Amino acid sequence: QHNNTNNNNNNNNKVPAAATLASQILSEDSTFRDAEFQSMLGGLCSSLHRTIRRGLVSILDLDVLCQVVSVLREERSVANKSPTTMAAARAVSGVIQDAQERLIFCANTALHKEVVRFKPTPADLNYPGKFLGEKPKAAIVIEDDKRDSKEPSSTEERKEEVNDPSATSDPNDAVAAQLRVYESWFPPMRSVLRILSKIFRVVEPRVFEDIALQSVQSCTKSLKEGSIYILRASGQIHADLFLVKHLLILREQLSPFDIQLRSVERQLDFSEAGKAVSRFLANRNRRLFSMSTENALITLLREGVSVQESSVDSKRDLEDCLRSACNDFIEHTSSSLLGPIAIFVDQCKNAVGSGSGSTDVLIKAPFMNAVLVKGVFSKALENLEGALENVSKQMHLYLENTATQSILMKPVVRKMTRSLEEARRFVGEVPDGANNWEEGAKEEVLKLSEAFETKVKSTTSKHGTR
């Protein structure tokens, strides 16, 4: 009993001591303020940071890294609200920076592999076969020997995408239809938009804009190279529409990011270094140890090395490339629809130019024979309906928006109308009786020309409202 009484007394003495220690450590708002305790928390959080950092280095999945950054940002905002968890907030900030660095590295690596070093297979450039549901043909691809065997090749990734069961699901399913549209995009552009959409909210704006600028430049270059291949494989109209379609999509998909895609590149120019060194060696009174701007070494650097600045504007370059692609489509399509009339107009222009503006050469030219000219317009009118149907079909295949089709076709019709007016003007300059132009021949040619123009305008307006 005596021992129990002593134990109770000891316990009673410890309670005030513990309360006193707690009052020293805890502030009025029940947060820890002891310097040694905060130092211990800082050490624990630093160890945790180093451990997590080693794990981040092995992550290759962009989605996982993006989720890490997003979740840790929320945790940091919660930790910053209490002085007790400030050490944890600092550690979380360090982890976020490490995850962002790893994310930037993986994004650049993926863009370099899937866009800059992209080597298309015939299946990747199977246009218009992709829109028609044709199965891609098997292609033999020689892989880089230096590629890590653990990394999947871009060809394997694209094969998995093509064999995705979602692509063969119910055609009435809107999601499946959207996936098919997505799969029809050129792989480099698909990769650029996919990666940019993932990292948009999880990296700093300036870093994102720099990555976007370089990736858009590489994507535009890859699209141009792809159109050249399609030109050889499928024809001019497919190459033009392929480029117009993808540049329109690229511009549209980049607009939500609200970025300028503009930067200033600086490079050192050593073109004058040789002359500056020669002057430095020839100067016998050079002051090497002078503490002024007349110091010979400073003068050598100032005269021998200069900084060259150049402005890079990927958005402007994208607009210029799109404008050029549209102009090429207008030029090629109008010439294709005009057929022999376009050749006839060019021959007339060359004849007038060779005659220093005189029509004598034009009147006597073999191609200006009345029978040949009438045959040119007759043949063009005969082939017009089939050519218009083909152009309309291909435009509906590549461009889903009828407004875009109408915008592209209007300048084509205007250009054709101008060419027909020039053709009628050249025919009108030939006097009656010259080069088999008998009475009534001009009227026949003019009627054919007017019929051609009427058919073009009526057909294009009808297809434009389809």
Side-chain angles (χ1 to χ4, degrees):
Q1 184 179 2
H2 179 72
N3 291 334
N4 292 335
T5 302
N6 290 334
N7 290 336
N8 291 332
N9 292 333
N10 291 334
N11 291 334
N12 292 334
N13 292 333
K14 289 180 180 179
V15 171
T20 303
L21 181 61
S23 64
Q24 294 176 353
I25 295 177
L26 292 174
S27 61
E28 294 178 358
D29 58 351
S30 301
T31 58
F32 291 97
R33 65 183 180 183
D34 183 72
E36 294 182 359
F37 183 76
Q38 290 293 332
S39 176
M40 181 190 70
L41 284 179
L44 290 174
C45 291
S46 297
S47 300
L48 177 64
H49 177 199
R50 288 192 296 270
T51 303
I52 296 176
R53 186 175 187 178
R54 287 194 292 269
L56 287 174
V57 174
S58 61
I59 298 178
L60 297 173
D61 194 335
L62 292 178
D63 292 325
V64 173
L65 290 170
C66 291
Q67 291 174 3
V68 168
V69 175
S70 299
V71 171
L72 289 181
R73 279 177 172 175
E74 296 178 2
E75 296 295 333
R76 181 178 61 183
S77 63
V78 174
N80 281 328
K81 295 179 181 179
S82 173
T84 306
T85 54
M86 289 300 295
R90 289 192 295 270
V92 170
S93 296
V95 176
I96 291 175
Q97 292 179 358
D98 294 336
Q100 287 176 328
E101 291 177 2
R102 181 63 182 174
L103 177 62
I104 293 168
F105 171 78
C106 291
N108 283 324
T109 302
L111 288 169
H112 184 74
K113 182 181 72 172
E114 299 176 17
V115 181
V116 178
R117 293 180 55 198
F118 177 75
K119 300 298 182 183
T121 64
D124 296 324
L125 293 167
N126 184 26
Y127 293 92
K130 283 189 174 183
F131 306 123
L132 300 173
E134 295 179 3
K135 294 182 179 180
K137 298 178 181 179
I140 300 175
V141 180
I142 301 176
E143 300 291 342
D144 189 356
D145 293 335
K146 296 181 180 180
R147 183 189 295 274
D148 187 357
S149 59
K150 296 182 180 179
E151 295 183 2
S153 67
S154 58
T155 306
E156 292 171 351
E157 292 171 353
R158 297 197 294 276
K159 181 186 286 185
E160 292 175 0
E161 292 174 352
V162 170
N163 295 329
D164 188 357
S166 61
T168 59
S169 58
D170 185 6
N172 296 324
D173 189 354
V175 176
Q178 189 63 33
L179 282 174
R180 285 194 294 273
V181 172
Y182 177 75
E183 293 298 333
S184 68
W185 293 355
F186 194 46
M189 188 185 77
R190 203 164 60 213
S191 298
V192 167
L193 296 177
R194 173 174 54 81
I195 293 172
L196 292 182
S197 64
K198 288 181 179 180
I199 69 173
F200 177 50
R201 298 293 183 185
V202 292
V203 297
E204 299 300 322
R206 295 184 63 180
V207 175
F208 174 82
E209 188 161 347
D210 184 64
I211 295 175
L213 185 146
Q214 298 178 18
S215 60
V216 169
Q217 284 181 327
S218 301
C219 181
T220 305
K221 180 181 177 183
S222 182
L223 287 172
K224 289 180 179 179
E225 294 173 351
S227 68
I228 295 174
Y229 177 91
I230 295 173
L231 172 63
R232 296 194 298 263
S234 303
Q236 186 68 64
I237 189 171
H238 294 288
D240 292 338
L241 288 174
F242 164 83
L243 195 55
V244 170
K245 173 188 176 68
H246 283 84
L247 291 175
L248 283 172
I249 294 173
L250 184 60
R251 185 182 67 174
E252 178 185 1
Q253 295 293 323
L254 288 175
S255 58
F257 295 132
D258 192 22
I259 50 179
Q260 297 298 321
L261 295 177
R262 186 183 300 117
S263 68
V264 177
E265 294 183 351
R266 295 177 176 85
Q267 295 179 340
L268 294 178
D269 183 11
F270 294 93
S271 59
E272 299 294 328
K275 297 179 181 178
V277 171
S278 299
R279 289 192 295 269
F280 174 79
L281 296 176
N283 184 11
R284 297 181 178 276
N285 297 323
R286 53 181 178 268
R287 302 176 180 178
L288 297 178
F289 303 103
S290 174
M291 301 300 292
S292 66
T293 56
E294 296 181 357
N295 185 292
L297 294 176
I298 296 177
T299 303
L300 174 63
L301 293 175
R302 185 173 59 247
E303 296 178 353
V305 182
S306 61
V307 179
Q308 300 291 335
E309 294 186 353
S310 59
S311 178
V312 178
D313 191 340
S314 291
K315 185 174 290 187
R316 181 192 61 198
D317 295 340
L318 178 61
E319 292 291 341
D320 292 342
C321 186
L322 177 59
R323 189 180 301 109
S324 176
C326 292
N327 290 335
D328 289 342
F329 171 79
I330 293 167
E331 178 69 27
H332 297 146
T333 304
S334 60
S335 298
S336 174
L337 292 175
L338 286 169
I341 297 178
I343 300 174
F344 171 74
V345 172
D346 290 339
Q347 289 175 333
C348 292
K349 290 180 179 179
N350 294 334
V352 173
S354 63
S356 301
S358 175
T359 59
D360 293 339
V361 177
L362 175 64
I363 295 171
K364 299 176 182 179
F367 59 82
M368 189 52 80
N369 185 282
V371 178
L372 294 178
V373 173
K374 183 180 177 181
V376 164
F377 279 85
S378 299
K379 183 178 180 181
L381 182 59
E382 181 182 350
N383 299 333
L384 178 61
E385 185 174 357
L388 283 171
E389 286 292 336
N390 180 58
V391 170
S392 177
K393 177 183 176 182
Q394 303 307 333
M395 291 186 70
H396 277 80
L397 197 59
Y398 282 88
L399 307 172
E400 297 84 2
N401 194 336
T402 55
T404 305
Q405 300 174 27
S406 178
I407 291 172
L408 271 178
M409 279 304 297
K410 285 179 179 178
V412 173
V413 175
R414 287 197 298 267
K415 187 173 180 61
M416 293 175 66
T417 302
R418 287 196 299 268
S419 296
L420 291 171
E421 291 174 353
E422 291 177 340
R424 289 193 288 263
R425 178 171 57 82
F426 288 130
V427 169
E429 292 178 354
V430 180
D432 293 337
N435 213 343
N436 292 333
W437 284 94
E438 300 176 354
E439 184 179 355
K442 289 184 180 180
E443 285 74 10
E444 293 181 12
V445 172
L446 291 176
K447 287 181 180 179
L448 290 171
S449 174
E450 291 173 358
F452 188 96
E453 184 175 353
T454 302
K455 191 170 187 61
V456 167
K457 292 181 177 179
S458 62
T459 305
T460 52
S461 62
K462 181 172 61 177
H463 287 304
T465 56
R466 181 181 294 178

